[in-house]
Amino acid sequence: MNKKLLLAAATALTFAANANAEGPNPFSDCGIGAALFPDNSTLAVTSNIIWDIGTTAVTSATMSPETCSVKETEVAKFIIESYDSLNEDTARGEGQHLNALLDIAEVSAEQKDEVVAKLRSNVAVSMVEFNAETTKVEKSQAYYTALMTAI
Amino acid sequence: MQKLFYYSFFLLLCFSANATEEHILNNLSQHKQWLKLLTAYSGNSPKVTDKNFLLSPEGEYSSLNELRLTINAFAEPAGLDLNQHGQCKYPARYLFLKEKLDFVKLGIKKVSCPNYEEYTNVNDQEQLSLVFATGFLGNPASYYGHLLLKINQKNKTGLEQASINFGADIPANEGMLSYIVKGIIGGYDSSFTTQPFFYHFNNYNETEHRDLWEYPIVLSKSQSELVIAHLWELMNVDFQYFFFNRNCAYFMARAIELVLDQDILDDVKPWVGPQEVIQKLNLSTSDGKRVLGEAVYHPSRQTRLYQRFSGLNSTEKSIVRSIALSPENLSLQSISDVQLESKYRIVDTLIDYYQFTRDKKDPEDKNNLYYKKAVLIRYQLAPSASTTNFASSNIPALGRGISRSYIGVDDLGIIVGIRPAYYDALDASYGHVKHAELTMGAAELIIDSGKVNLYSLSLLNIESVKQNYTMLPGDKNHSWFLKVGAEQERLNCSDCLTPIIHTGAGLSKSFFGSDLAISGFLTTGFFSDSLISDGLFAGAKIKASWFISSNISTALTINHRHHIGNATQTAIKLEQRTSISESMDLRLSWEHSIETELSKLSMNFGYYW
């Protein structure tokens, strides 16, 4: 029963995020997921050399100013690259990865407590749905949506 | 007549002015800092191999010609893309020349450089940091650690700030052998590149489990500006890469040397290590002030797990062990009996544990599920930052030099040896992996009855000892070693040098808070001076190394080899090291061969530099 409730909440959250979040989702609309993970390989992102190629790919995939802002793209890139550490910081409500994300997302010091509280709640709900097959891009996308809803 | 006099006087003045100008330019073109800006370190020709970096046409390079062309480029009118102007491409040359020449007289007007100005919008103090990543035995290029620079940009958190990396440009899918050979012989281009610091931070801290030490570089604002400007003009410029001495450590050090009171490197030394650069910078000054500030420590995931586990009380450790052994019981309920602070410590340790042990690429690995559960439990607790204060006394800027020379005696003669880098099981200290070994290019000579012979040679000797400090399932203690070189065939011989390749895999276990490590390996290899099958062997090796105190360490190795031709060799070696001072030690060893019943005693006195 509890799980059904959470599932319903997660679905509602996704709809709410799609309705509320301003602008495109960089993961789905700017091609950032595909650009960063051409073969779904984590190594492709963490390798310095391949990262250079990745950056080029991201740049070309997100050049269109009317679709993707620099800020959204930077937020998405940070989430996908730091996902686990960021998620752990979010669970704790504090940490250097979370602080960096809020800074990139231009969340002010006054907004921070409220945004973090909402973000914790949103991410916890979305995480329940993850299973062994959920990819890093999907997790990052869910986190991005949770953040946009919280801001 | 009077007109002729004035005319002659005017010509003389012009000539004299031109001669003075020439003299100034000539002197300036030989200025140490100018040569460094051209990457002509130690006054030699430029190290840069990128044709686009130098303004002089190919074959016409001289520091004077480059100076003239730079001045001309600075005086050019700005085009549509300001970032392409000479002043924006060579901001360090601009800063340097602006102090030395009259730009107004030369018709040079300041051009605005948007990209450069955005990049170099740095903090008022400590504008630059040097980051040392500890060694990583999983990748040959990372054995000796790595150096990065971080630009401490204004209005950005540390993770967002720009970092500058120097590395070889390795083609995708390069084979390991080709990678090693080309890296050593200069088969790759290399360059400085920039990315936000978090890319490197996550890679080193999370993926490769390497601790990071971030040292602020304390310089005056103008000096700091010059170094950053120089790094900017070197960005994406090609250099020839050599693993041993034209590597990240060399080029990072050369860039910082621009403003040091004294150089820390020379071009003659055949190797340069990242830790050596940190140690030398720690003793360096700029304008009489120390260059390195106090380091910020960024522990790796593995270190965090070990320190968190170590900080648990016995009840908390027992709960963590119980959950690790029966992870299906992991729930908020399973920790309901302890105080909230204990809950935080237990869950944070479990998060690190599962993150450290899980295989992210394997969806079947249940540790992925347990990791998610642990994080979700943390979400269910009230928010609270981690309470563990991570610390390490393993400070890379301290400690001995990376090279060791020694002189000693054994039963056969006088021994002189050198180990260019880096450490062994007896002297692993600051910045090294305890109980592990990493040496390259070590050689010993023996003077026996007036003859000098090569006594032993170690091209490569790596022993990776992993200790499962927590002793929890999945905290693996897999260890391995690889030795390539040559050693004497028998203990009583000084001219029977025989090539050896020896490798093995096994397990290690540590005791007494990791002061004692015992490893067991199954081994194989080849030991013969001719390519015969009898040289092939299989065997076993047991090794115990013990740091008895801060100055005394000892190691016992029992090594058995069974050759295809049924010959066997069983050697016992007992070594002891006593540190006399930070840069000197005394070593004693006793070796014995079971089959031949030969023994050998030796002693050597070593100096680290």
Side-chain angles (χ1 to χ4, degrees), chain B residues 30 33 122 127 157 212 235 249 264 294 359 374 455 458-459 461 499 506 516 526 537 547 590 603:
Chain B
Q30 293 306 312
Q33 235 172 6
V122 292
Q127 295 90 349
T157 65
L212 299 176
M235 211 69 76
I264 56 171
E294 196 170 329
D359 181 351
Y455 202 32
S458 172
L459 296 176
N461 181 27
L516 170 66
F526 183 85
F537 66 82
F547 287 86
W590 172 77
M603 181 195 81

Side-chain angles (χ1 to χ4, degrees), chain A residues 51 84 87-88 92 103 130, chain B residues 160 199 301 371-372 379:
Chain A
W51 170 251
D84 288 334
N87 193 20
E88 291 167 25
R92 293 184 184 109
D103 197 56
F130 297 166
Chain B
E160 293 170 74
Y199 292 113
R301 177 71 73 167
Y371 168 74
K372 178 191 142 186
Y379 270 108

Side-chain angles (χ1 to χ4, degrees), chain B residues 148-392:
Chain B
L148 289 170
L149 281 160
K150 186 158 84 65
I151 310 291
N152 298 325
Q153 293 161 313
K154 257 183 193 162
N155 307 320
K156 287 188 176 179
T157 65
L159 290 173
E160 293 170 74
Q161 288 168 335
S163 61
I164 297 177
N165 187 41
F166 184 90
D169 303 328
I170 318 286
N173 305 320
E174 184 79 307
M176 184 56 84
L177 185 63
S178 168
Y179 174 50
I180 292 170
V181 172
K182 283 187 182 173
I184 291 171
I185 65 170
Y188 293 123
D189 283 335
S190 54
S191 55
F192 287 97
T193 50
T194 184
Q195 295 119 343
F197 182 51
F198 64 81
Y199 292 113
H200 296 296
F201 187 93
N202 292 328
N203 185 30
Y204 292 132
N205 252 206
E206 296 291 322
T207 308
E208 297 184 349
H209 302 296
R210 299 164 71 174
D211 291 348
L212 299 176
W213 294 84
E214 183 180 341
Y215 286 91
I217 299 180
V218 186
L219 299 170
S220 71
K221 202 165 181 182
S222 60
Q223 288 170 326
S224 186
E225 197 180 355
L226 186 65
V227 174
I228 295 172
H230 183 46
L231 289 163
W232 171 266
E233 59 195 23
L234 290 180
M235 211 69 76
N236 300 311
V237 166
D238 285 340
F239 294 88
Q240 191 177 10
Y241 180 84
F242 291 91
F243 173 75
F244 287 111
N245 65 352
R246 298 291 178 266
N247 49 24
C248 69
Y250 175 86
F251 286 104
M252 293 281 176
R254 285 303 198 189
I256 299 166
E257 261 182 1
L258 190 60
V259 295
L260 295 185
D261 294 338
Q262 283 189 321
D263 287 354
I264 56 171
L265 298 182
D266 60 53
D267 278 359
V268 181
K269 195 176 173 192
W271 63 89
V272 182
Q275 190 181 8
E276 174 187 0
V277 169
I278 291 276
Q279 288 175 341
K280 286 181 171 171
L281 279 176
N282 194 41
L283 302 172
S284 294
T285 56
S286 176
D287 281 349
K289 291 179 183 165
R290 286 188 62 170
V291 168
L292 284 194
E294 196 170 329
V296 177
Y297 176 54
H298 301 288
S300 70
R301 177 71 73 167
Q302 184 179 18
T303 305
R304 295 204 301 273
L305 166 64
Y306 289 176
Q307 292 199 12
R308 276 206 171 103
F309 187 79
S310 169
L312 299 177
N313 62 35
S314 57
T315 308
E316 292 162 351
K317 274 184 185 164
S318 161
I319 292 171
V320 167
R321 273 200 198 99
S322 154
I323 291 172
L325 291 169
S326 307
E328 62 281 1
N329 296 333
L330 174 60
S331 66
L332 200 53
Q333 189 64 31
S334 64
I335 53 170
S336 58
D337 291 342
V338 295
Q339 298 289 316
L340 185 59
E341 284 304 313
S342 279
K343 286 189 174 82
Y344 288 134
R345 284 196 292 271
I346 290 168
V347 176
D348 284 344
T349 305
L350 286 168
I351 288 172
D352 281 342
Y353 166 63
Y354 286 118
Q355 178 70 334
F356 177 64
T357 55
R358 74 193 179 113
D359 181 351
K360 293 181 198 171
K361 291 180 207 158
D362 180 8
E364 302 299 315
D365 181 3
K366 289 205 165 176
N367 283 334
N368 286 309
L369 172 68
Y370 303 137
Y371 168 74
K372 178 191 142 186
K373 272 177 104 173
V375 176
L376 270 173
I377 290 171
R378 194 60 159 93
Y379 270 108
Q380 289 172 275
L381 298 173
S384 169
S386 162
T387 52
T388 309
N389 289 320
F390 300 107
S392 171

Side-chain angles (χ1 to χ4, degrees), chain B residues 4 15 23 36 48 58 66 132 179 271 302 353 381 395 422 460 528 589 602:
Chain B
L4 185 64
F15 175 75
H23 182 67
K36 285 180 179 179
V48 66
E58 206 172 347
E66 194 68 16
F132 175 75
Y179 174 50
W271 63 89
Q302 184 179 18
Y353 166 63
L381 298 173
I395 301 164
Y422 191 33
L460 177 66
S528 174
S589 83
S602 70

